[in-house]
Amino acid sequence: MSALLFLLLAAAARAQYSATYSYDPSNPSNLPDTTEQGQAGTNRCGGGSSQTSLCQNVFMNSITDFCVWGPPYSNGQNATVGETEREEVAFCLKSGYGTRLLPDGTITGAHWVQTPDYVQVTGIGDFTKIGIPASDSGGELDPHGADGNGNPIGGLVFGNSYGGSYIQYHEWTNFMSSTEFCIRACKPGPNAAALCQHIYDLQGCHWNMPGNYDGGYFESCFGDTGLPMGVYGSSTWQQGTGPTPDPHPAPPSSSCVRVASLTSYSPLPTASYSTSVTIVTSGSAQFTYLASLPPSSSQPTTAPSTTKPSVSPAPTSTQNAARKGQVHRPLLLVAITLASLSAMRVHLAL
């Protein structure tokens, strides 16, 4: 291979995906039918959902509203991530995007983190339910691929975590295996490519996206931006050269809220009682704020469980302290509907 050809191939492998598309939830068919040549599926997915959908749009909105990539076909043996990476389709928690849905019980632990620069979900599950063979140790999906068209070809990622309006994430990375997943979408900006690096496809989730992979519960947190994968001080490690360095430590997270299930945002109490405050005004702009309150001796010692039968119970605060070294304080859920300050009605339930 000539030096020129090698450079051209290297450039293609690292090509920056730059085409921009707008997702309008009121008109989801505004996207083009396809966005890359050779695309097996479609980006014009409409609404609803279908388990035969070939939609290639992933959405990253919250702990109860995200998607992952999965094989479009499988007989349980012939659809490893490596074999289907060019044709993978979206599997989502919610209907309305024209995608396939993740079957109940697929994900058994999920941990959402929003940082100033990216959103990320890590966890475990049984992804044979979406066709990944049980023996598959996994592979990586990203918007580049060997030719710059992406794995899958034409795959798009959108989200509304930053400011409430949908943006397109040009840089993202998703590792899938039969038992584990991680997906990160980087906010557009100068650090997006480094924080969603796609060249370490052999290193897997824990190395590329250090975080919480515990099973048995689902949580949403805010966190600090982590270090770029593969960058150590002034040096950048190249996969395949020398020993593999240790992964970066998981960055700190805070304001974590556990939810009863991935299908309905219903916060679980982190202690033996729950507290809620609702502030309502006239208008349509709604915001939710989560804060900590110190426990009160006047609170009841038990609270009804909101965990659905199909979801493993969340660890108690004592168990969580043993694993994490800290006990989270009870949470105060404040839902605020803002328009004018007139006609305000306050309801406090303790």
Side-chain angles (χ1 to χ4, degrees):
M1 179 184 296
S2 70
L4 177 59
L5 180 57
F6 177 82
L7 290 174
L8 289 174
L9 289 175
R14 291 168 172 78
Q16 290 293 311
Y17 180 84
S18 59
T20 298
Y21 301 94
S22 297
Y23 175 76
D24 180 358
S26 66
N27 182 25
S29 295
N30 69 327
L31 292 169
D33 186 42
T34 60
T35 55
E36 296 287 356
Q37 291 185 351
Q39 188 170 342
T42 182
N43 303 113
R44 183 177 294 159
C45 305
S49 63
S50 168
Q51 294 309 98
T52 60
S53 168
L54 295 180
C55 183
Q56 293 180 308
N57 302 328
V58 152
F59 294 85
M60 291 281 287
N61 296 329
S62 71
I63 183 62
T64 56
D65 188 3
F66 68 86
C67 314
V68 295
W69 298 106
Y73 59 84
S74 178
N75 63 8
Q77 297 178 341
N78 69 340
T80 66
V81 176
E83 290 171 322
T84 60
E85 63 181 5
R86 308 242 75 185
E87 300 91 27
E88 299 237 325
V89 297
F91 288 80
C92 299
L93 291 173
K94 282 191 173 182
S95 182
Y97 302 121
T99 67
R100 303 185 190 194
L101 294 181
L102 284 159
D104 289 344
T106 300
I107 296 177
T108 56
H111 309 276
W112 171 278
V113 177
Q114 180 172 331
T115 80
D117 296 289
Y118 57 78
V119 290
Q120 172 180 297
V121 193
T122 56
I124 61 173
D126 177 8
F127 295 101
T128 64
K129 292 180 180 291
I130 63 171
I132 298 178
S135 59
D136 190 10
S137 59
E140 189 221 15
L141 297 312
D142 63 71
H144 303 276
D147 56 6
N149 291 329
N151 287 332
I153 298 174
L156 302 179
V157 175
F158 300 97
N160 63 8
S161 298
Y162 296 100
S165 298
Y166 275 95
I167 61 173
Q168 182 184 353
Y169 291 108
H170 292 106
E171 298 292 343
W172 51 267
T173 176
N174 177 201
F175 285 82
M176 298 295 300
S177 76
S178 61
T179 59
E180 190 174 70
F181 79 102
C182 57
I183 181 169
R184 177 186 291 184
C186 289
K187 187 179 178 181
N191 300 320
L195 293 170
C196 278
Q197 185 57 267
H198 62 283
I199 62 174
Y200 301 112
D201 57 319
L202 301 180
Q203 307 310 314
C205 274
H206 291 261
W207 195 93
N208 280 276
M209 289 177 245
N212 189 347
Y213 289 84
D214 289 349
Y217 64 105
F218 317 108
E219 68 177 359
S220 177
C221 303
F222 289 97
D224 295 345
T225 297
L227 296 171
M229 52 275 274
V231 178
Y232 298 86
S234 60
S235 300
T236 300
W237 177 67
Q238 299 297 320
Q239 184 171 263
T241 61
T244 301
D246 291 335
H248 293 308
S253 60
S254 62
S255 302
C256 294
V257 179
R258 294 191 183 180
V259 297
S261 76
L262 294 182
T263 57
S264 177
Y265 190 87
S266 177
L268 285 173
T270 56
S272 58
Y273 69 90
S274 61
T275 304
S276 67
V277 172
T278 304
I279 302 175
V280 181
T281 71
S282 60
S284 59
Q286 184 171 8
F287 301 85
T288 300
Y289 177 73
L290 298 168
S292 294
L293 282 183
S296 167
S297 59
S298 64
Q299 299 299 339
T301 57
T302 59
S305 172
T306 56
T307 305
K308 294 186 177 181
S310 61
V311 179
S312 300
T316 65
S317 58
T318 303
Q319 292 170 333
N320 192 49
R323 183 171 62 249
K324 301 296 183 184
Q326 61 182 357
V327 177
H328 293 293
R329 290 181 173 181
L331 294 173
L332 173 66
L333 176 63
V334 184
I336 305 175
T337 305
L338 298 176
S340 67
L341 295 179
S342 61
M344 179 175 288
R345 172 168 61 87
V346 179
H347 170 68
L348 175 62
L350 293 176

